[in-house]
Amino acid sequence: MTFLSKFIFMPRVRVHQHVNPLSPFYQFIPPPIEIEKIFANPQSPLHLDIGCARGRFVLKMARMFPDRNFLGVEIREPLVTEGNRLARECNLTNLRYEFNNATYSLNRLLENFPADVLETVTIQFPDPWYKRKHAKRRMVDENLVATIAGHLKVSGKIFIQTDVDFLAEEMFEIFRANENLVEFGIFANPFPVKTERETAVEEKYLPIYRALFEKAQ
Ligand SMILES: C[S@@+](CC[C@H](N)C(=O)[O-])C[C@H]1O[C@@H](n2cnc3c(N)ncnc32)[C@H](O)[C@@H]1O
């Protein structure tokens, strides 16, 4: 079986479309990642994809860039289990998925990371939670941005994209408010891989709102 056929023909694990990150089940503190235990070359630059869903973006990136490590974080645990199984079957020792409520405890997950390892971060099409009464369920808040900025190496980049205009403005403002980050204008995805959601939105010719931030100091 080829690499591609492995994930094209594999039955998709069934999951809830959304989970409530505020429910007690998702308010857990994970043990910090020991980076030398999860990657064959722990000193390689790391890419973190937050809200990776089935994780095909990092899977393809890990195939393309074997000298980099890729970590996908996702709140729906069955997708994490499936992703790690697939990574093992594909012998990708530079790819790992972690079950985590990023808004609640990403800081704890990354606590033991060396200062200079996290080079790029992506947040792509996070759930918008449209209703005002559900706004607290949205992924990006000041604490998450502080966690990312705190662990990112200097000159490290954060790429964010969504097809929801009000969510884009809300998220971008929170990133702009972090004093360690500088914004760059961007119109296209700077990575050679699209997520499943990006492909779906492009096929409908709908607009996508994107931003790129760099850690200045
Ligand atoms: C609309 S999907 C987009 C998935 C993928 N990034 C893409 O572009 O195709 C948003 C994903 O973020 C995950 N998610 C939402 N809140 C999260 C949180 N607090 N922590 C981790 N993942 C979360 C959801 O479970 C879902 O898989």
Side-chain angles (χ1 to χ4, degrees):
M1 191 181 271
T2 66
F3 164 74
L4 273 176
S5 63
K6 255 180 195 163
F7 67 89
I8 289 173
F9 298 118
M10 201 177 67
R12 285 162 83 90
V13 65
R14 291 170 70 92
V15 285
H16 294 292
Q17 197 179 356
H18 300 289
V19 297
N20 178 1
L22 302 179
S23 86
F25 182 75
Y26 297 105
Q27 307 279 303
F28 66 93
I29 305 288
I33 293 177
E34 303 296 334
I35 199 163
E36 61 286 350
K37 291 189 182 157
I38 65 169
F39 296 124
N41 297 309
Q43 72 290 346
S44 297
L46 178 71
H47 179 106
L48 170 65
D49 188 36
I50 306 174
C52 66
R54 294 182 187 275
R56 300 308 191 250
F57 171 78
V58 274
L59 181 84
K60 291 176 188 168
M61 291 282 286
R63 276 289 283 196
M64 293 173 86
F65 301 102
D67 56 346
R68 293 175 168 266
N69 290 327
F70 294 87
L71 175 62
V73 163
E74 171 54 47
I75 198 168
R76 290 179 293 170
E77 191 172 19
L79 301 183
V80 172
T81 307
E82 178 199 53
N84 282 327
R85 182 166 60 80
L86 196 51
R88 274 194 306 277
E89 285 174 8
C90 296
N91 297 317
L92 290 169
T93 58
N94 63 333
L95 174 62
R96 172 78 169 208
Y97 301 93
E98 288 288 334
F99 172 42
N100 180 237
N101 179 348
T103 314
Y104 188 70
S105 59
L106 184 69
N107 203 20
R108 171 75 170 163
L109 199 67
L110 306 185
E111 194 177 280
N112 290 346
F113 270 28
D116 262 5
V117 79
L118 183 58
E119 201 168 79
T120 41
V121 177
T122 41
I123 298 178
Q124 307 186 72
F125 305 91
D127 300 324
W129 293 110
Y130 288 100
K131 293 181 184 162
R132 193 150 8 133
K133 69 176 180 183
H134 290 152
K136 281 194 161 42
R137 298 182 185 184
R138 290 177 195 149
M139 180 199 287
V140 172
D141 68 4
E142 289 78 5
N143 285 336
L144 180 68
V145 174
T147 293
I148 296 169
H151 287 281
L152 198 63
K153 65 187 282 187
V154 172
S155 298
K157 309 277 192 298
I158 308 158
F159 173 58
I160 313 154
Q161 57 176 345
T162 175
D163 55 324
V164 181
D165 54 359
F166 78 85
L167 184 64
E169 274 320 302
E170 180 183 289
M171 289 193 298
F172 299 168
E173 280 307 316
I174 299 172
F175 277 93
R176 284 175 191 136
N178 187 292
E179 59 186 13
N180 295 315
L181 302 176
V182 177
E183 186 174 6
F184 289 86
I186 190 166
F187 301 102
N189 179 348
F191 296 101
V193 173
K194 296 178 197 296
T195 67
E196 290 177 75
R197 186 60 183 261
E198 182 176 3
T199 303
V201 173
E202 283 190 344
E203 281 170 358
K204 292 182 194 150
Y205 300 101
L206 294 172
I208 297 178
Y209 308 93
R210 299 180 168 105
L212 184 72
F213 292 86
E214 181 181 285
K215 181 163 172 178
Q217 51 180 315

